[in-house]
Amino acid sequence: MRGIGWMGALALSVAGPAVAQGNAPPQAALDQLAAGLDYRFEVVDNRPVCPEGLANCFLATITLTLPEQLPPSLRKGADLSLYFSFVNPLDRIESDLFDYRNINGDVQQLTLKPGAVLRPGARHVIKLWGVGSHLSRAVVMPNAYLVAEGRQARVIAATRDTIDPDTGLPALRFVAPMTDAARLTSKSDSDKTVWLTPERAFVQNAERAAAPASGIVILPRPSHAAQHDGAVVDLTKGIRLTLTGVDRAAIAPALAALGTDETGALPLRVRVDPTSGIAPEGYRLDARADGIAITAADAAGASHGLRSLAQQAAFEQRKLRPITVEDAPLYPHRGLHLDLGRNFHGRDQILKLVEAMAAYKLNKLHLHLAEDEGWRIEIPALPELAQIGSVRCHDPAEKTCLLPQLGAGPDGKSGVNGYLTTADYVEIVRAAAARGIEVIPSIDMPGHSRAAIVAMERRHDRLAAAGKRAEADAYRLIDPADTTKYRSIQHYTDNTLNVCIPATYRFVDTVVDALAAMHGAAGAPLKTFHLGADETAGAWVNSPACKAMIAENGSDARNLTPRFIERVATTLAAKGIRAGGWSDGMGHTDPARMPANVLTNIWGVLHTGAIREAHDQLNRGWDVVLSIPDLGYFDMPYAPHPDEGGYYWASRGVDSHQVFGFMPDNLPANAALIPNISAQPQSIEDKPIREPGRRITGIQAQLWSETVRTDAQVDYMLFPRLLALAERGWTAARWTPAYRPGQSYAWHDPRVDRAALSAEWRDFAGRVSAQFAPLERMGVAYRVAPPGARIIGGTLEANSDLPGVIIEYRERGGKWTRYGGPVTVRGPVELRTRSADARRSSRIVAVSAP
């Protein structure tokens, strides 16, 4: 075997006739092969008979069909490898031509076996025996590529991400459709999940049917609101603004959202009075023909009042019925987490989301700025973090970039690369603060830290080469003598900071101080720093630097992560900054060693660890935010279907209805509405119980970005279900039974008022339909759900998940026709829904007569 760096390759000999492009230079020859090689991925079976020695397997295939003509330089032989990303562990590859190895993480390599011959036009099927299941086309990664010695790596053209012009979303055209429900839906008969077919969606939509919005459309729903008889409140001729107790700058974005000329005659009085008796972020709104008055205790409340007025005014074409509103939020933390680490999403997208958050009264933006796969924030003192850690490309030694994880491709030019400059970040923090939104930066550690580790190794190499040994070691995040072998949940072997060396804590301080300086420049002091608090099982066992620390902690290396979290949290507290982290890592700490002011995000799954973690950490007196995946992980698919995007390890479907029905104040009661991961009803016990007086701080949506490569996908995965989370963070779920310690709940428990839920859902769904146009004006490409449909007796019936949605259908070979009601059809029918502005459509679904 001849090596290409440490990633290696094998000689490829190609047998076949001479070709017209025979004199193509070596790079052109590789380019031609990458352009002409057909590459098809197929999930074959999630319930196969596993080969001997394997368990819990699934079978997928890669089919390669070589072009009929191949350049002579390849025909004569060349060092060639094929790289692709695959997120599941691969236990076995079956191929008569190829050898396989995992490089690191999800980067996989295929090389020809010694003496293997590829022939023009030949078709080769490679069997991939993976661990677990493969339930969605969306988790297949694009941009498989070819590497040959002395040439630039090239993406196999057939595997490129393309954008569907109708949906605006990536279309993985090289991935075969998944249609065999019997073999592909689940792993076993105990899993009761079924795909949400158009026929099933029709029944579901009918059960949840709602009318278009009318009356008060404010979202989230106010605590108290009423419309009155009388002359209209006419905003069409402008307003005359009077401010008391608040500067215009503090409410400027909300005024801009109102979109009304400020040289008009209608009085609009905004008063901020901390002694008004109104709750923080609350407001009173009184809009009558002779003027509008908004009173609040703070600028955030005044802005919320203006946002509510703007929503109602837009719905009523700026001529409102008189209205009064008294309103305040249910929870002080109503958050959105956005993962920039896995795949980058830049300043403009974040600024758009900040405005959308403000429109729907969300107030915490949790920016996940670093991961194994990318570092996304400029730290001036450590330039390699952004220069090296923000780019993924084919550089086996990782001298200039990280490995091309998650289908990033080899050239480093993909949109998934990038970072926020200090100026970008300051602009985001400033824009958020102007809208009453706190930015919470997150740098995951000590696990999930590979990007930082690699970048700091390149810093070390640069300074060591210059003879600056002490400076080189100052921010090195590993113990070079550590021989520990471990593998993270994402299959990395080298992604964990060494918590036993001073350089790690120097690094944390430098990063936190840089972020604090950016927040200071934005005029919004850094209040909370989220350190993730993830660990990698098995790390540091054989690290000489950790020998003493392990001995001091019961001779168990697993105890080092809690000590790290406690130390960092204490250091942050000394800087006046609250520490935040994910509940699994935070739960292992000793509360006595932690500051009193701590934020913890509960991410245990509802039917497994959620209640245990939430109640335990509530009882510690910490600020508990529910980030539960069944309700709050918006990288999960909207519905159980292989064409819906997202990971599915926690839930096969998280739709707006499920998010809307969530009962944050009584976690066990959610068993009445939400089945487990296998679509089975499962009771939930209240263990441990929540101590009297303990209450959650809030709820938060999470969008992890492994499968989210474009900004349009961000919008699709967040909206409209983020509106449901905004409602639950602001307004009480009236169907929730009062929490009583020790009470357990089962499926359809009568203590949960499902009739109240249905009524409230119908009202909410109508109000969502009123938000389509405002979202489009903000540039948000919200999800357009495919319609439900069925054919009975030759008659097509169709419906939508939300009211006011346009449905179109076509018979085979026909043109798209707007659906207006049941219609006679003669054969199979395709259907789609359209966005309010008709610029985008849902994915196409098909129905046939039974």
Side-chain angles (χ1 to χ4, degrees):
M1 180 183 294
R2 295 182 60 190
I4 299 179
W6 59 269
M7 296 174 81
L10 285 174
L12 166 66
S13 62
V14 180
V19 293
Q21 63 270 44
N23 295 321
Q27 185 64 58
L30 186 67
D31 294 349
Q32 290 163 12
L33 178 57
L37 179 63
D38 188 57
Y39 183 113
R40 292 289 179 268
F41 180 93
E42 181 179 6
V43 185
V44 177
D45 201 342
N46 274 309
R47 304 171 72 168
V49 176
C50 297
E52 186 176 353
L54 300 185
N56 189 31
C57 72
F58 67 87
L59 175 62
T61 59
I62 295 173
T63 301
L64 303 176
T65 304
L66 273 74
E68 293 293 337
Q69 295 181 327
L70 288 167
S73 59
L74 293 179
R75 191 162 48 84
K76 295 175 183 177
D79 292 314
L80 190 80
S81 287
L82 189 157
Y83 291 85
F84 65 101
S85 289
F86 200 79
V87 297
N88 290 75
L90 291 171
D91 267 359
R92 184 174 302 179
I93 298 291
E94 290 184 6
S95 172
D96 58 347
L97 289 174
F98 292 100
D99 286 322
Y100 154 81
R101 69 167 172 150
N102 169 257
I103 301 302
N104 205 346
D106 63 74
V107 176
Q108 322 291 340
Q109 180 193 34
L110 294 175
T111 57
L112 286 177
K113 294 179 178 179
V117 175
L118 295 182
R119 301 181 181 277
R123 178 174 175 269
H124 302 282
V125 178
I126 306 157
K127 291 185 176 181
L128 311 177
W129 293 98
V131 177
S133 57
H134 201 302
L135 303 173
S136 170
R137 296 175 70 247
V139 300
V140 181
M141 297 297 167
N143 298 321
Y145 64 93
L146 299 175
V147 173
E149 190 170 16
R151 311 176 200 188
Q152 293 294 317
R154 288 291 184 260
V155 172
I156 299 170
T159 69
R160 289 188 183 277
D161 252 345
T162 58
I163 301 299
D164 185 307
D166 294 322
T167 66
L169 299 172
L172 299 172
R173 304 193 189 281
F174 67 96
V175 182
M178 295 176 65
T179 57
D180 188 341
R183 292 192 300 169
L184 299 178
T185 301
S186 64
K187 290 291 293 180
S188 68
D189 291 340
S190 63
D191 188 343
K192 304 303 181 183
T193 303
V194 293
W195 288 343
L196 187 65
T197 61
E199 293 84 358
R200 292 190 179 104
F202 182 87
V203 174
Q204 178 175 281
N205 292 343
E207 292 173 347
R208 301 174 180 176
S214 62
I216 297 172
V217 301
I218 298 168
L219 196 156
R221 181 174 58 78
S223 304
H224 303 282
Q227 290 179 306
H228 309 285
D229 295 331
V232 299
V233 184
D234 189 353
L235 287 169
T236 63
K237 297 180 181 179
I239 60 169
R240 186 175 71 254
L241 181 65
T242 302
L243 301 179
T244 303
V246 62
D247 293 332
R248 192 184 190 287
I251 59 171
L255 282 169
L258 187 60
T260 300
D261 179 26
E262 294 184 30
T263 61
L266 181 68
L268 171 58
R269 297 179 291 274
V270 178
R271 182 171 67 94
V272 170
D273 179 4
T275 66
S276 63
I278 299 173
E281 294 192 82
Y283 63 92
R284 286 196 297 263
L285 167 64
D286 188 354
R288 302 185 185 275
D290 59 354
I292 304 170
I294 295 174
T295 305
D298 51 31
S303 293
H304 294 326
L306 287 165
R307 296 284 182 173
S308 293
L309 177 62
Q311 285 187 28
Q312 194 66 31
F315 179 71
E316 297 187 64
Q317 287 77 52
R318 315 192 71 73
K319 291 186 176 182
L320 295 75
R321 285 183 59 189
I323 185 173
T324 55
V325 179
E326 293 189 7
D327 202 9
L330 180 64
Y331 301 119
H333 186 120
R334 307 175 305 281
L336 170 62
H337 164 283
L338 182 63
D339 173 16
L340 308 183
R342 269 56 178 264
N343 287 314
F344 182 61
H345 302 284
R347 179 198 62 189
D348 292 348
Q349 173 68 12
I350 297 169
L351 290 173
K352 179 178 73 178
L353 292 177
V354 164
E355 174 60 18
M357 289 175 65
Y360 301 107
K361 304 181 177 71
L362 297 168
N363 67 347
K364 308 291 181 182
L365 177 60
H366 181 168
L367 285 180
H368 194 69
L369 296 170
E371 256 297 340
D372 293 325
E373 296 85 1
W375 183 279
R376 307 303 184 185
I377 181 69
E378 179 184 16
I379 304 296
L382 303 171
E384 284 85 359
L385 286 171
Q387 294 168 357
I388 306 296
S390 72
V391 182
R392 301 202 292 266
C393 71
H394 183 75
D395 176 3
E398 295 186 293
K399 298 295 185 183
T400 60
C401 60
L402 305 178
L403 292 172
Q405 308 286 347
L406 299 173
D411 62 11
K413 297 178 181 179
S414 168
V416 304
N417 298 298
Y419 64 93
L420 299 173
T421 66
T422 55
D424 291 337
Y425 188 77
V426 168
E427 183 176 356
I428 290 165
V429 173
R430 183 178 291 127
R435 291 161 174 81
I437 297 169
E438 177 191 355
V439 175
I440 300 173
S442 173
I443 306 291
D444 218 336
M445 57 182 81
H448 293 269
S449 296
R450 190 173 190 276
I453 291 169
V454 172
M456 291 300 90
E457 284 300 282
R458 298 296 78 80
R459 177 188 183 276
H460 172 270
D461 294 347
R462 171 175 61 83
L463 293 170
K468 301 178 180 180
R469 175 61 62 179
E471 191 176 346
D473 290 339
Y475 289 98
R476 200 174 192 187
L477 302 176
I478 63 168
D479 173 4
D482 187 359
T483 60
T484 307
K485 302 295 182 184
Y486 65 87
R487 186 172 293 272
S488 76
I489 190 67
Q490 281 87 22
H491 324 303
Y492 292 103
T493 59
D494 53 359
N495 77 332
T496 306
L497 307 177
N498 191 298
V499 300
C500 308
I501 56 178
T504 291
Y505 300 94
R506 186 179 299 113
F507 174 83
V508 175
D509 280 344
T510 298
V511 170
V512 170
D513 289 347
L515 288 165
M518 294 180 216
H519 278 254
L526 178 60
K527 298 178 181 178
T528 304
F529 175 78
H530 202 281
L531 65 148
D534 286 308
E535 63 179 324
T536 301
W540 317 308
V541 173
N542 296 320
S543 167
C546 289
K547 183 177 180 180
M549 191 172 175
I550 291 172
E552 292 167 2
N553 285 274
S555 298
D556 189 342
R558 291 174 297 182
N559 293 329
L560 301 193
T561 293
R563 302 293 86 79
F564 169 82
I565 296 169
E566 293 155 6
R567 177 172 172 176
V568 172
T570 300
T571 301
L572 289 169
K575 299 175 185 284
I577 300 169
R578 176 177 61 167
W582 300 106
S583 54
D584 55 340
M586 300 295 274
H588 290 131
T589 62
D590 181 349
R593 298 175 182 236
M594 292 287 285
N597 189 13
V598 173
L599 172 72
T600 180
N601 290 89
I602 307 300
W603 72 278
V605 177
L606 188 63
H607 287 281
T608 54
I611 292 173
R612 173 179 52 79
E613 293 176 359
H615 288 182
D616 169 71
Q617 292 174 37
L618 271 171
N619 294 343
R620 298 183 184 198
W622 293 352
D623 290 337
V624 168
V625 173
L626 300 181
S627 298
I628 297 172
D630 319 55
L631 289 308
Y633 270 37
F634 289 176
D635 52 305
M636 299 289 138
Y638 275 91
H641 193 280
D643 289 333
E644 285 292 339
Y647 278 0
Y648 42 76
W649 59 266
S651 178
R652 298 291 297 279
V654 178
D655 65 8
S656 298
H657 186 271
Q658 183 159 302
V659 179
F660 180 81
F662 183 41
M663 295 174 280
D665 279 331
N666 190 341
L667 286 177
N670 287 284
L673 303 176
I674 302 172
N676 66 16
I677 182 65
S678 298
Q680 296 175 323
Q682 181 180 335
S683 62
I684 297 179
E685 291 186 281
D686 186 33
K687 290 183 178 180
I689 64 172
R690 196 174 79 198
E691 293 175 355
R694 305 294 190 187
R695 189 163 182 260
I696 68 164
T697 299
I699 62 176
Q700 182 168 287
Q702 282 64 228
L703 182 60
W704 301 98
S705 68
E706 288 96 331
T707 65
V708 181
R709 294 179 289 278
T710 69
D711 291 347
Q713 285 179 288
V714 172
D715 293 353
Y716 180 97
M717 299 302 280
L718 288 179
F719 295 92
R721 54 187 168 182
L722 186 61
L723 304 183
L725 184 128
E727 181 104 350
R728 282 289 66 76
W730 187 273
T731 308
R734 298 178 181 178
W735 48 93
T736 308
Y739 174 77
R740 289 183 170 80
Q743 285 195 352
S744 302
Y745 288 79
W747 182 247
H748 287 181
D749 194 300
R751 289 170 291 179
V752 173
D753 190 344
R754 296 170 65 218
L757 169 59
S758 295
E760 294 286 342
W761 165 260
R762 288 191 291 272
D763 170 71
F764 171 77
R767 286 182 287 121
V768 169
S769 70
Q771 304 306 318
F772 293 151
L775 286 169
E776 287 167 350
R777 287 194 291 271
M778 283 185 272
V780 173
Y782 57 86
R783 178 182 188 248
V784 183
R790 66 186 182 185
I791 297 175
I792 297 179
T795 298
L796 171 68
E797 299 176 282
N799 58 16
S800 59
D801 70 328
L802 293 168
V805 175
I806 296 170
I807 301 174
E808 296 177 336
Y809 72 97
R810 68 182 177 190
E811 296 184 71
R812 182 173 296 170
K815 295 182 179 180
W816 288 109
T817 302
R818 184 163 179 166
Y819 176 82
V823 60
T824 300
V825 294
R826 298 181 178 178
V829 175
E830 292 183 323
L831 300 101
R832 67 184 184 185
T833 49
R834 305 287 286 175
S835 59
D837 62 6
R839 294 182 178 179
R840 297 175 294 111
S841 70
S842 71
R843 57 182 171 86
I844 296 171
V845 296
V847 291
S848 302

